[in-house]
Every structure is written in structure tokens, then in C-alpha cells.
Amino acid sequence: MPRPVLILLLVLAGYSSPGQSFTTFNYSIEDGLPSSEVYEIFEDRNGFIWFATDHGVVKFDGEKMRVYQVKDGLTDPVVFGFQEDEKGRIWFRTFSGRLCYYEAGKFVPYPYNDQIVKIARNGLVHFAYLADRDEMWFSVRNRVG
């Protein structure tokens, strides 16, 4: 290898080459979260960020946080997770097993919550809503309904 090329390579190796960088944000109660206990974070198809907490859910538009609780229509104050169906509804998985979804700015309880709670018997419910067939599939521990 010619000497000028070797010198050029050594000089260039001394410079740091920046890679991709990212920015992180930490949100807390002071920023509008109802609790410091966040179970899941979810981004819906409209770009809103949802936080599941032990004191309701938060819908974040990038600037303001809107807190939703039982008084707003949630079926339980403790929300563990989210799922968005093909219709754009955001479903909420709660501690009590009672499901609800958010559509057009309102919370709607799942009409068969009483049956789910009876089957669950204090177990955590995991579910999948199949909007094209208008079916709800759920599991509780080793059971499927």
C-alpha cells in the first residue's frame, strides 16, 4: 500500500464517525401521568401514544396528556394493555377482566364482561378481537373462550 494512502487511512481512523442517534423522553406524574406505574405503552394508527397505568389510561398527542379513568367510562382503573382492531377501536385489558374499547371519543364496555369475569375467576385475561368476523377470542391461564 502506498505511503500517502496509509497516512490518509490513519488520519481518517482518528475521526469519530457519528452513527444514528435517538432522543429519549421520560414522562412522570409532573408531566401529566396519573401514576408512576406504567404497564404498557402503545401507539395507535393515528399516532397517539397511550399509557396503561394503575390509575387509568393516558392519551398523549405529543404535547398534552389526557387522563381517562372509571368516571370517563373505563371498566376498571387498572389497565394492563391495549389492542387496536381493524375498525380503529382501541381495546383495553384490565385487572378485573372487564374489557372496553375507545371509539369516537367514548368508552364502550364489552357487553359480555359478566361472562368473561365468571370464566376468568380472578385470572388475567388476554384477548384478540377479530373485527372482520365480529368475534372476540380470549384466554385466561390455560383456558380459551
Side-chain angles (χ1 to χ4, degrees):
M1 183 177 291
R3 184 176 278 253
V5 174
L6 181 61
I7 292 172
L8 180 63
L9 286 175
L10 289 173
V11 169
L12 289 177
Y15 289 104
S16 66
S17 58
Q20 293 180 347
S21 63
F22 62 93
T23 304
T24 59
F25 296 98
N26 293 316
Y27 296 108
S28 66
I29 293 171
E30 291 80 22
D31 299 307
L33 289 175
S35 170
S36 60
E37 196 164 326
V38 176
Y39 299 114
E40 188 173 333
I41 301 171
F42 171 76
E43 182 176 2
D44 69 19
R45 66 177 65 175
N46 296 315
F48 294 106
I49 305 295
W50 293 83
F51 298 88
T53 77
D54 61 339
H55 288 7
V57 296
V58 176
K59 182 180 178 184
F60 182 53
D61 65 6
E63 293 181 17
K64 294 194 301 190
M65 292 190 181
R66 168 73 165 97
V67 178
Y68 296 101
Q69 297 173 326
V70 172
K71 65 182 169 117
D72 300 305
L74 278 177
T75 53
D76 190 301
V78 181
V79 177
F80 287 133
F82 308 97
Q83 178 180 330
E84 186 170 14
D85 67 20
E86 291 94 6
K87 295 179 181 179
R89 298 179 293 191
I90 310 296
W91 288 83
F92 302 93
R93 182 172 52 88
T94 67
F95 176 73
S96 68
R98 296 184 180 280
L99 307 176
C100 66
Y101 61 86
Y102 183 81
E103 181 179 43
K106 294 170 65 174
F107 288 91
V108 179
Y110 185 60
Y112 303 105
N113 275 333
D114 290 338
Q115 287 88 339
I116 291 174
V117 170
K118 284 180 190 175
I119 293 169
R121 293 191 203 111
N122 297 325
L124 294 178
V125 174
H126 298 276
F127 67 94
Y129 185 81
L130 306 173
D132 59 333
R133 295 184 2 199
D134 205 27
E135 293 180 350
M136 172 71 73
W137 287 79
F138 66 93
S139 66
V140 181
R141 294 186 186 151
N142 295 328
R143 300 178 186 182
V144 176

